[in-house]
């Protein structure tokens, strides 16, 4: 889902929906529109994960949940890493992606799978077989379902688009071009065929399911965090911090306060440098 797909020699489709950019732009236009165009380095330090992502977000570390997911995982697993902010895609055309000792891996879930195997990491080691199954089901719900709702509210429905337009420095024309691509993707996926009212109902049902399941637990599966917490936090970070203008900006605080508390807990536990990793609404450069 978190893919950058080549259309032809001069055009690309960039989609990081749910927290997201969706676009058809020329290569030159892409460089001008989005952050810094970073060339791949050949002298990265060994045994350090190089995390390629699109740049820092205004109120959370990224406007894409997949970058938040991977970076939270790296912090949770205490894996040395270095961020590279820019628009360089992987060999598969994927965002977010990593390099490790010269090996590139695309797709956020495959990045984590690769590092788990390569470095012997198992953040689910304390989970029973049943709990692992439940965690995987939660993973699927938030990345294959909730993800699309976030994208539809942010890009498609009739509301204030200033957060997205300002964060990515988009003209109205470019935004409309992005919007058209997302509409087609969401329609093909299926969830884009529903009305805004129907999507809102399904969106709230997903949030209610998460809220009911987490309850008063500190993390998704109990007192200790697991790998799926990175996935859930990545998606919820967009709803909690980057949902301005959608008509549901305060939905977690107002309707699902335990999910708001969960977001704050994940932030405090794994992002003590949060303020250095955001642009504070575009008023300053992130320093990390």
């Amino acid at each position: 889902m978190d893919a950058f797909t080549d259309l032809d020699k001069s055009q690309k489709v960039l989609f990081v929906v749910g927290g997201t950019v969706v676009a058809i732009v020329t290569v030159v236009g892409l460089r001008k529109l989005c952050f810094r165009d970073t060339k791949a380095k050949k002298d990265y330090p060994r045994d350090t994960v190089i995390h390629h992502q699109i740049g820092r977000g205004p109120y959370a570390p990224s406007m894409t949940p997949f970058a938040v997911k991977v970076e939270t995982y790296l912090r949770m697993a205490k894996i040395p890493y270095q961020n590279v902010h820019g628009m360089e895609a992987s060999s598969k055309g994927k965002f977010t992606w990593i390099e490790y000792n010269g090996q590139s891996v695309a797709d956020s879930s495959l990045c984590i799978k690769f590092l788990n195997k390569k470095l012997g990491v198992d953040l689910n080691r304390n989970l029973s077989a049943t709990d692992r199954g439940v965690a995987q089901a939660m993973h699927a719900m938030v990345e294959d379902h909730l993800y699309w709702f976030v994208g539809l509210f942010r890009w498609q429905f009739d509301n204030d688009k200033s957060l997205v337009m300002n964060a990515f420095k988009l003209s109205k024309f470019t935004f409309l071009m992005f919007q058209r691509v997302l509409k087609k993707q969401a329609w093909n996926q299926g969830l884009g065929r529903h009305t805004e009212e129907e999507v809102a109902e399904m969106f709230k049902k997903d949030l209610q399911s998460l809220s009911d399941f987490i309850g008063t637990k500190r993390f998704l599966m109990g007192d200790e965090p697991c790998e799926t917490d990175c996935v859930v936090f990545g998606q919820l970070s967009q709803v909690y911090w980057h949902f301005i203008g959608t008509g549901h900006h305060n939905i977690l605080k107002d309707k699902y306060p335990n999910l708001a508390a969960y977001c704050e807990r994940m932030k405090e536990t794994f992002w003590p440098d949060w303020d250095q990793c955001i642009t504070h609404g575009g008023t300053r450069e992130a320093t990390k």
Side-chain angles (χ1 to χ4, degrees):
M1 288 184 195
D2 41 331
F4 178 105
T5 307
D6 288 329
L7 295 181
D8 55 37
K9 291 182 180 179
S10 65
Q11 293 186 311
K12 295 183 180 180
V13 174
L14 168 64
F15 63 106
V16 192
V17 188
T20 81
V21 183
V22 185
I24 304 179
V25 292
T26 65
V27 174
V28 174
L30 182 61
R31 291 172 180 167
K32 290 181 178 179
L33 283 170
C34 303
F35 315 108
R36 298 183 295 273
D37 189 19
T38 306
K39 298 294 184 180
K41 296 181 180 178
K42 303 302 181 183
D43 58 348
Y44 292 132
R46 286 194 60 79
D47 302 327
T48 299
V49 173
I50 308 303
H51 180 211
H52 295 266
Q53 56 173 304
I54 61 173
R56 290 307 192 190
Y59 303 108
S62 180
M63 285 285 285
T64 163
F66 303 107
V68 176
K69 165 188 169 181
V70 170
E71 195 166 353
T72 301
Y73 163 84
L74 293 168
R75 289 165 176 245
M76 188 183 292
K78 296 182 172 61
I79 298 172
Y81 74 96
Q82 176 180 322
N83 283 318
V84 174
H85 299 291
M87 297 308 299
E88 183 187 1
S90 72
S91 59
K92 290 184 178 181
K94 290 275 191 174
F95 283 101
T96 186
W97 62 287
I98 65 168
E99 291 180 85
Y100 186 75
N101 290 343
Q103 186 171 354
S104 300
V105 185
D107 186 276
S108 61
S109 291
L110 294 182
C111 290
I112 290 173
K113 181 180 179 181
F114 168 82
L115 292 172
N116 283 345
K117 183 176 180 180
K118 191 77 172 178
L119 303 178
V121 175
D122 184 5
L123 297 177
N124 295 334
R125 58 186 174 276
N126 295 324
L127 300 184
S128 67
T130 299
D131 285 346
R132 285 175 184 254
V134 171
Q136 179 58 34
M138 289 292 177
H139 181 150
M141 181 181 76
V142 299
E143 284 204 338
D144 298 335
H145 208 240
L146 183 65
Y147 163 88
W148 287 97
F149 299 147
V150 173
L152 286 166
F153 280 116
R154 181 181 284 176
W155 288 91
Q156 198 61 41
F157 297 141
D158 185 18
N159 51 43
D160 180 11
K161 308 299 185 187
S162 58
L163 176 71
V164 173
M165 294 182 72
N166 291 336
F168 295 110
K169 299 179 176 61
L170 303 178
S171 68
K172 185 175 181 180
F173 173 78
T174 308
F175 175 84
L176 291 174
M177 198 161 49
F178 291 9
Q179 189 180 56
R180 183 178 179 180
V181 175
L182 172 60
K183 183 176 182 179
K184 182 176 181 180
Q185 292 171 343
W187 180 270
N188 290 338
Q189 192 272 346
L191 293 175
R193 298 168 187 248
H194 303 302
T195 65
E196 183 173 352
E197 292 73 21
E198 290 167 337
V199 166
E201 183 179 351
M202 289 185 279
F203 171 64
K204 291 174 184 177
K205 189 173 182 179
D206 280 359
L207 292 178
Q208 187 65 59
S209 296
L210 271 175
S211 177
D212 290 343
F213 183 75
I214 290 176
T216 59
K217 299 194 296 291
R218 282 181 50 77
F219 299 104
L220 181 68
M221 303 304 297
D223 290 336
E224 298 297 325
C226 68
E227 186 179 297
T228 309
D229 280 293
C230 306
V231 179
V232 172
F233 180 61
Q235 297 295 329
L236 289 184
S237 69
Q238 305 307 304
V239 180
Y240 190 52
W241 284 287
H242 284 162
F243 230 36
I244 298 168
T246 63
H248 301 278
H249 179 209
N250 293 316
I251 191 168
L252 296 191
K253 289 181 180 178
D254 294 344
K255 301 289 187 180
Y256 312 100
N258 68 325
L259 295 184
Y262 170 84
C263 287
E264 292 290 351
R265 193 175 304 118
M266 288 291 291
K267 171 187 169 183
E268 292 167 7
T269 303
F270 299 107
W271 293 86
D273 54 350
W274 184 274
D275 285 347
Q276 298 170 264
C277 299
I278 63 175
T279 68
H280 298 267
T283 61
R284 68 187 77 166
E285 290 288 331
T287 58
K288 295 185 71 174

